[in-house]
Amino acid sequence: MKKFNITIAGGGSTYTPGIVLMLAEESYRFPVEEIKLYDNLASRQEPIGKAMEIMMKEQHPEIKFSYTTDPEEAFTNIDFVFAHIRVGLYAMRELDEKIPLKYDVVGQETCGPGGIAYGMRSIAGVLEILDYMEKYSPDAWMLNYSNPAAIVAEATRRLRPNSRIINICDMPVALENIMANILNLESRKEMIVKYYGLNHFGWWTSITDKAGKDLMPELKAFVKEKGYAKETEDYQHRAQSWKDTYLMAKDVYALDPETVLKYYLLQDEVVEHSNKEYTRANEVMDSREKEVFDTAKGIIEKGSAEGYTFAVGAHATFIVDLACALAFNTKERMLLIVPNNGAISNFDPEAMVEIPCLVGSNGPEPLAVGKIPEFQNIPI
Ligand code: NAD
């Protein structure tokens, strides 16, 4: 069986160690020959790269591993790029959140003024990586989950319409994991979902089990009482701010049973409950970022990863599902951000919408959604 060469762009990201370990764990179904990390900032790449080099040599010597800040080295002879970059790091995310809040407007990394600012920063970075990939490995696929995914996807549609890039977000996956947990299912893959929206602004319209049984009534009864407040395996969603968001789904549900659009429908409440001095960026810098870089430092100082762990990015297996679908033509049904092109019949054909697609070796085939209701169709 062919083994694949992968470059992780944003190699100094807090998510990188977890993705590398997840890839090693999933190699029974997605065989990996080589993993390369690439970041454009040596001060981020060096500690994460060095620590992972030590850990991989000890725990997964069968996988070739390296890290670099040199684009040619990073993007030559690869099959896939997994991209999760944050242009401006958390320092800029902090401003994206705090400047709008100063004016009593929602401060958030993917929507509102903060989302626009982050989008403007991210576009050039994502295009740069795509261009490197096309220059050095023109047959490779770029699986992009850098945020703000909706804006980045729109930029790639306009500026690189023929490129082999697929934009995907973990948020629907994370919520479906919680739904499956609420419904006492072993996995979200036991659910057949119908869904449409813009990224981070979407609606599930039908959820059944594989035999066709409607699971919505049970799910709605739970959300009505408790939102999505249920234990989650997703490491980043265990923080207090995420718990608050999941609980708030209950209030949004009371307004409009189909939505989770707290930033639109409950703007004032969100602003009221925000700490203008300490936002999500601060929460991450004080927790995940600190933990990941402290662990990396410990491994490097000891020269061994014995006694050290990074959280394995188990929830990120959706990226492997996507890579497998492209590599092995599995036709798996996945929610992707793609040009509408008539899939939602009464919505802008050029909009980048998040809808179910079947994914095979030629890329995503979007499924028809049909006509959507007036409220969700308001142009924004
Ligand atoms: P982070 O700040 O820890 O890491 C991002 C890394 O990207 C940094 O090391 C930075 O130097 C690097 N970088 C920035 N510009 C670059 C460029 N042009 N080329 C190469 N590297 C570059 O951030 P994080 O919290 O790990 O998040 C990374 C990204 O992943 C964010 O955009 C985040 O929103 C996104 N994310 C997406 C999903 C999803 O499923 N859509 C889920 C989680 C995180």
Side-chain angles (χ1 to χ4, degrees):
M1 198 192 245
K2 177 174 161 53
K3 287 186 167 187
F4 298 96
N5 296 341
I6 294 151
T7 291
I8 299 179
S13 150
T14 51
Y15 289 109
T16 296
I19 300 277
V20 171
L21 295 173
M22 181 275 291
L23 278 170
E25 282 196 359
E26 299 289 315
S27 62
Y28 68 93
R29 66 179 175 125
F30 182 64
V32 175
E33 176 77 27
E34 176 171 14
I35 299 175
K36 293 192 259 191
L37 307 187
Y38 166 74
D39 203 288
N40 66 353
L41 194 56
S43 58
R44 301 277 298 196
Q45 189 53 97
E46 187 57 34
I48 298 290
K50 185 76 204 154
M52 287 314 293
E53 186 179 66
I54 294 168
M55 186 175 260
M56 290 298 280
K57 204 175 267 176
E58 289 175 357
Q59 298 179 4
H60 300 283
E62 71 286 1
I63 297 177
K64 211 172 143 200
F65 179 87
S66 62
Y67 62 96
T68 182
T69 51
D70 174 39
E72 182 171 356
E73 200 180 317
F75 294 96
T76 299
N77 190 26
I78 52 164
D79 302 295
F80 290 97
V81 176
F82 292 1
H84 55 208
I85 63 167
R86 183 182 292 284
V87 179
L89 303 169
Y90 277 91
M92 291 300 278
R93 175 173 178 174
E94 187 179 5
L95 295 179
D96 292 339
E97 292 169 342
K98 288 186 178 172
I99 292 171
L101 278 175
K102 204 159 92 183
Y103 300 97
D104 291 330
V105 172
V106 169
Q108 213 274 334
E109 72 163 338
T110 63
C111 57
I116 299 279
Y118 184 27
M120 295 304 109
R121 286 202 306 279
S122 297
I123 290 169
V126 169
L127 292 182
E128 182 179 78
I129 289 165
L130 185 55
D131 291 347
Y132 285 143
M133 180 188 88
E134 293 190 332
K135 180 169 177 193
Y136 297 115
S137 291
D139 294 331
W141 282 98
M142 176 163 162
L143 312 186
N144 181 52
Y145 46 105
S146 308
N147 269 317
I151 294 175
V152 168
E154 173 61 14
T156 55
R157 178 189 74 80
R158 289 194 200 190
L159 301 172
R160 300 291 186 277
N162 302 314
S163 292
R164 285 158 72 91
I165 177 169
I166 300 183
N167 293 288
I168 185 165
C169 174
D170 74 333
M171 199 60 233
V173 174
L175 273 171
E176 284 178 13
N177 279 335
I178 292 179
M179 290 173 187
N181 192 357
I182 291 170
L183 295 165
N184 291 316
L185 301 174
E186 288 227 326
S187 147
R188 69 184 169 86
K189 293 191 178 183
E190 289 179 40
M191 306 188 302
I192 308 291
V193 307
K194 287 192 181 166
Y195 170 100
Y196 66 83
L198 302 176
N199 176 238
H200 287 187
F201 300 104
W203 285 263
W204 277 270
T205 53
S206 158
I207 300 180
T208 67
D209 66 13
K210 283 187 173 159
K213 182 184 164 212
D214 184 5
L215 300 174
M216 272 296 197
E218 191 183 338
L219 188 59
K220 284 182 175 179
F222 186 96
V223 174
K224 193 175 169 192
E225 294 297 320
K226 298 183 182 157
Y228 289 110
K230 187 89 177 167
E231 278 303 301
T232 168
E233 66 179 27
D234 296 343
Y235 174 77
Q236 76 264 36
H237 291 173
R238 287 187 213 140
Q240 192 53 47
S241 59
W242 270 104
K243 286 185 180 165
D244 294 345
T245 292
Y246 283 146
L247 193 60
M248 210 171 196
K250 166 173 88 129
D251 302 332
V252 180
Y253 181 90
L255 287 174
D256 176 345
E258 304 300 343
T259 78
V260 288
L261 303 179
K262 74 168 186 172
Y263 297 120
Y264 275 102
L265 299 176
L266 298 167
Q267 286 176 48
D268 294 344
E269 288 84 345
V270 169
V271 171
E272 234 168 70
H273 287 100
S274 298
N275 181 343
K276 295 179 181 182
E277 308 301 324
Y278 193 85
T279 58
R280 176 67 183 148
N282 300 112
E283 198 176 57
V284 178
M285 284 189 277
D286 291 344
S287 56
R288 189 174 73 234
E289 191 168 50
K290 191 173 175 319
E291 284 159 25
V292 167
F293 280 89
D294 282 353
T295 303
K297 190 164 171 261
I299 293 172
I300 295 165
E301 280 171 6
K302 190 175 174 185
S304 165
E306 226 185 290
Y308 288 96
T309 51
F310 289 109
V312 180
H315 88 287
T317 51
F318 68 92
I319 307 162
V320 171
D321 294 340
L322 180 55
C324 280
L326 293 161
F328 306 126
N329 202 25
T330 63
K331 302 284 178 187
E332 181 157 346
R333 187 177 162 137
M334 310 187 75
L335 300 179
L336 301 176
I337 306 164
V338 292
N340 182 25
N341 205 15
I344 303 174
S345 56
N346 55 338
F347 199 69
D348 181 353
E350 295 203 322
M352 290 300 277
V353 291
E354 192 166 48
I355 51 175
C357 300
L358 301 182
V359 189
S361 47
N362 292 326
E365 288 174 53
L367 297 173
V369 172
K371 204 169 167 196
I372 60 172
E374 191 70 14
F375 173 77
Q376 288 90 333
N377 197 1
I378 297 168
I380 48 171

